[in-house]
Amino acid sequence: MSNAYTVDLTNAAARQLRKLDPVARKRVAAAIGLLAGDPRPPAAKKLIGGEGELRVRTGDYRIVYRIDDGRLLVLVIALGHRREVYQ
């Protein structure tokens, strides 16, 4: 893909990222960075009952995001431990 997407985090997602322990934060931040090059990796799953949101796993953590192809934007809506992220 020649056009890289811009990755943006909602205020809530940025707050959730800051709350993670340093090791998890680094891993999740790296996974978020990869979405700029490929916003629809093979491991991405569409959320059932959502409005087109996708999620990717990185260990026990989940990243929930939307893609705006018109603006080449990936908006991270939520992230966190798999037990808590969907609440």
Side-chain angles (χ1 to χ4, degrees):
M1 182 173 292
S2 61
N3 294 336
Y5 281 65
T6 302
V7 178
D8 204 1
L9 280 75
T10 62
N11 289 338
R15 209 168 28 252
Q16 291 163 335
L17 184 62
R18 284 193 302 270
K19 286 183 184 177
L20 297 179
D21 67 82
V23 173
R25 186 182 318 131
K26 193 171 183 179
R27 183 187 307 153
V28 169
I32 290 171
L34 291 175
L35 293 175
D38 184 6
R40 292 180 181 87
K45 302 259 189 282
K46 247 188 158 84
L47 289 185
I48 296 171
E51 300 170 14
E53 293 94 351
L54 295 127
R55 71 128 168 101
V56 289
R57 290 177 38 186
T58 176
D60 284 339
Y61 293 89
R62 304 293 182 266
I63 302 163
V64 179
Y65 62 99
R66 274 192 202 118
I67 302 170
D68 182 343
D69 288 311
R71 294 178 22 212
L72 293 179
L73 176 71
V74 173
L75 180 64
V76 177
I77 301 164
L79 54 93
H81 195 276
R82 61 190 172 93
R83 285 190 310 255
E84 303 151 358
V85 76
Y86 301 112
Q87 296 171 354

